[in-house]
Amino acid sequence: LSTKVVYLMHNRVSILGKSTYLLGGTANLSTFSYGSFVGWASPAILELQSDHSAIGGDAITDEDASWIGSLMFIGFLCGTPVYSWLSDRFGRKPAALLTSIPIIVNWLIIIFSETVFLIFIARFIVGISIGGILTIIPIYVGEICEIHVRGTLGTILSVLGNGGILFSYAVGAYSQYHNFAITCLALPILFVVSFMWMPETPIYLLSKGKYKEAKRSLKHLRGSRGPHIYEELNKMSTLLRDIQERTSDSGAIKDLLQNKGSRKALIIGVVISATQMFSGIYAMLSYNGIIFKMSGADLPPHICSIIVGGVLFVAPILSLPLMDRVGRKILLVASLTIMTTCLTLLGVYFYLLEIGTDLSTVGYIPVVCMGIYLLCMGMGLAPINIVLFSEIFLPHVRSISASISTFVMAISSFIVTRFYNDLSNVAGVYGSFWFFAICCLLGTCFSIVCIPETKNRTVESIHAELNGGESSLLPTRNERNLNTISEQCEQEGNLSTIK
């Protein structure tokens, strides 16, 4: 990987023109850092609660451990609107680079901290970057790639994010506390070094009237295919001009609320984000050790975590060839349906166990259900939620819509992590699994009724469907002659720049 990064730095123009996949993978290096600090808590808490705590003094309490997990999501809440504003004001690339700062600060505090209070501060700070990573990276990847690879590149975020979690589970379990933090510190630095050579997205540059820079950026992304460059720039410019004409008086936020298509897209983003957090993933991660023990496998907790992390890592890789072939909607509905079934069966199993039923002969059932559930989560709901951010929102409201959806995800994450144990104490383990099953079932029904298929479709056509088939953003070639990019530049007095 280091060799590729160095090669990229010295040959960035030629590589960028040849490999959009390399671009998308480089942008998603930040998600590997994200996965590493999300997964850090599992091995770190075990060491902090041991008799010989890594930070000295007494072992931390269960309450402290709960706050280490949940404070990150409070930072998530605070960071989402900040990075959304940075993305619209300064660009996708600068905002993406700035996501590395809270991560670096987090690891420095953990390396030198000697109290649990400083760890609380570090977890809050690192949570700020989540809002940027989950909001900006999907937008950046969606705006630089071509339609036919959009789903595949969007799925890479889940692959590397889960890869970072697996990395923390595996390396953290066999590394000393401080040494592991030093290792993780290298990840955001690697992202900065590699991503600083990436171009800004063409559509953002066009929205700011920077036609020459937009052309240069698109040439880096697509290679030296001259006619295709102008054709794609023309489509982007026409879309932005239509949006500008329609929102010049109302503004983007007002248009987001008043336009039917934009409003429906926002509802889809919010509902799917909340569904992902209330789908029971944290329940599954919390009880993976118990589930393995029920099967008769007496495994240490860190081995159970590594197995679970491995399944989560493999799942989105399996979805890569399916995302742009089968389609988003089919994968989403199928994954949610199977997840609902698995959670229901787990609830039944725990209920029968609660009332004293002998289930020793079928102890494999919860392990099978957990494995299928994790595969479906990783192949369907998790990556598709990310891909939809770059597909269903129009450019002028994309950042704010994605930030609102991510903000809802942050609230849901905090609620689940902070109050999941309380729910289990009140309703029982089986009751919590049934609650999550109901959430998945509602998400399935919503996906069938409200979410359009977005595979290999432009944002204009998706918006038209959300708008009821009638959209002012979708004039046909018979109804309106498209302005060429040269004509638009001439109208702006920038003809020489595009030539």
Side-chain angles (χ1 to χ4, degrees):
L1 180 60
S2 299
T3 303
K4 288 184 178 180
V5 170
V6 174
Y7 182 66
L8 173 66
M9 291 167 61
H10 291 287
N11 303 275
R12 57 189 183 277
V13 174
S14 60
I15 290 180
L16 293 178
K18 293 179 180 179
S19 180
T20 306
Y21 286 99
L22 183 58
L23 261 172
T26 302
N28 277 302
L29 283 176
S30 64
T31 66
F32 192 88
S33 294
Y34 155 71
S36 69
F37 65 71
V38 170
W40 170 86
S42 180
I45 288 175
L46 288 176
E47 192 163 351
L48 291 171
Q49 288 187 320
S50 66
D51 294 335
H52 303 285
S53 177
I55 58 175
D58 297 331
I60 66 171
T61 65
D62 290 338
E63 182 72 12
D64 291 335
S66 174
W67 280 110
I68 287 176
S70 57
L71 276 171
M72 182 175 65
F73 296 106
I74 298 179
F76 186 0
L77 285 169
C78 299
T80 299
V82 172
Y83 280 105
S84 174
W85 178 79
L86 290 172
S87 176
D88 282 336
R89 179 68 178 83
F90 300 103
R92 318 307 194 202
K93 178 183 174 180
L97 284 170
L98 288 173
T99 61
S100 62
I101 293 179
I103 304 176
I104 293 173
V105 172
N106 160 76
W107 292 124
L108 289 175
I109 293 176
I110 288 177
I111 290 170
F112 296 105
S113 65
E114 296 182 353
T115 65
V116 70
F117 179 73
L118 288 176
I119 296 177
F120 289 164
I121 295 175
R123 295 295 281 177
F124 170 80
I125 291 174
V126 80
I128 295 173
S129 68
I130 301 178
I133 292 170
L134 296 186
T135 301
I136 298 167
I137 299 302
I139 291 175
Y140 181 87
V141 172
E143 290 185 352
I144 67 170
C145 67
E146 296 172 282
I147 294 174
H148 65 280
V149 297
R150 195 169 53 200
T152 300
L153 286 176
T155 306
I156 291 177
L157 191 149
S158 287
V159 173
L160 291 182
N162 291 339
I165 294 175
L166 177 60
F167 171 81
S168 286
Y169 285 171
V171 179
Y174 298 99
S175 301
Q176 292 184 348
Y177 177 86
H178 293 95
N179 291 340
F180 180 54
I182 294 172
T183 302
C184 291
L185 177 61
L187 298 177
I189 296 174
L190 175 62
F191 165 69
V192 172
V193 171
S194 59
F195 190 75
M196 64 187 296
W197 304 102
M198 300 299 104
E200 181 58 83
T201 67
I203 197 164
Y204 177 82
L205 292 170
L206 281 175
S207 70
K208 299 301 181 181
K210 299 179 180 180
Y211 299 101
K212 183 177 180 180
E213 291 88 339
K215 177 189 172 184
R216 185 184 302 117
S217 173
L218 200 59
K219 286 187 69 175
H220 287 333
L221 295 168
R222 304 290 185 260
S224 301
R225 297 176 296 169
H228 301 287
I229 297 296
Y230 289 106
E231 181 181 352
E232 192 167 353
L233 281 172
N234 182 53
K235 291 179 180 179
M236 293 180 185
S237 184
T238 300
L239 173 62
L240 290 172
R241 179 175 292 277
D242 286 343
I243 292 172
Q244 184 179 11
E245 290 175 354
R246 185 163 62 88
T247 61
S248 57
D249 296 327
S250 61
I253 295 179
K254 189 174 181 181
D255 181 67
L256 174 64
L257 299 176
Q258 291 184 345
N259 181 264
K260 180 181 178 182
S262 297
R263 190 169 60 249
K264 288 184 67 175
L266 178 60
I267 292 172
I268 291 172
V270 167
V271 171
I272 296 302
S273 295
T275 300
Q276 181 177 345
M277 292 299 103
F278 283 102
S279 64
I281 183 62
Y282 288 108
M284 203 65 69
L285 295 177
S286 298
Y287 280 91
N288 69 81
I290 295 175
I291 291 174
F292 274 107
K293 186 175 292 186
M294 288 177 180
S295 68
D298 189 14
L299 298 174
H302 67 277
I303 297 296
C304 296
S305 297
I306 291 173
I307 293 173
V308 169
V311 174
L312 286 174
F313 175 66
V314 169
I317 296 177
L318 296 177
S319 73
L320 285 173
L322 300 176
M323 188 69 68
D324 287 316
R325 295 181 183 179
V326 176
R328 293 31 155 177
K329 184 169 183 175
I330 294 176
L331 274 179
L332 180 60
V333 172
S335 68
L336 282 170
T337 301
I338 298 173
M339 288 165 62
T340 301
T341 304
C342 291
L343 288 167
T344 302
L345 290 176
L346 280 168
V348 171
Y349 190 95
F350 275 94
Y351 175 74
L352 293 176
L353 202 65
E354 181 77 15
I355 62 177
T357 307
D358 183 13
L359 300 174
S360 58
T361 58
V362 290
Y364 61 88
I365 289 180
V367 175
V368 172
C369 287
M370 180 180 67
I372 295 174
Y373 170 91
L374 293 174
L375 278 174
C376 290
M377 164 66 78
M379 291 181 66
L381 178 58
I384 289 172
N385 186 27
I386 295 168
V387 172
L388 287 178
F389 277 10
S390 64
E391 294 186 324
I392 62 175
F393 301 134
L394 289 171
H396 71 301
V397 295
R398 185 170 287 153
S399 183
I400 187 172
S401 298
S403 67
I404 292 173
S405 300
T406 308
F407 189 79
V408 171
M409 187 186 297
I411 295 175
S412 304
S413 301
F414 175 74
I415 292 173
V416 173
T417 53
R418 187 67 187 90
F419 300 108
Y420 167 67
N421 288 334
D422 296 330
L423 174 64
S424 296
N425 292 334
V426 173
V429 176
Y430 58 88
S432 63
F433 278 118
W434 284 339
F435 170 77
F436 294 130
I438 292 172
C439 293
C440 286
L441 179 61
L442 293 175
T444 304
C445 297
F446 178 85
S447 301
I448 294 172
V449 175
C450 301
I451 299 182
E453 179 54 70
T454 60
K455 181 188 71 171
N456 294 336
R457 295 178 62 185
T458 63
V459 66
E460 300 97 320
S461 66
I462 297 169
H463 183 82
E465 182 175 343
L466 292 174
N467 219 21
E470 300 179 1
S471 174
S472 61
L473 289 175
L474 286 172
T476 64
R477 291 186 181 275
N478 293 329
E479 293 172 340
R480 174 176 177 178
N481 294 323
L482 299 178
N483 292 327
T484 65
I485 190 67
S486 296
E487 290 172 342
Q488 292 181 45
C489 292
E490 187 175 15
Q491 293 170 8
E492 299 294 336
N494 293 315
L495 182 60
S496 60
T497 62
I498 200 66
K499 289 179 179 179

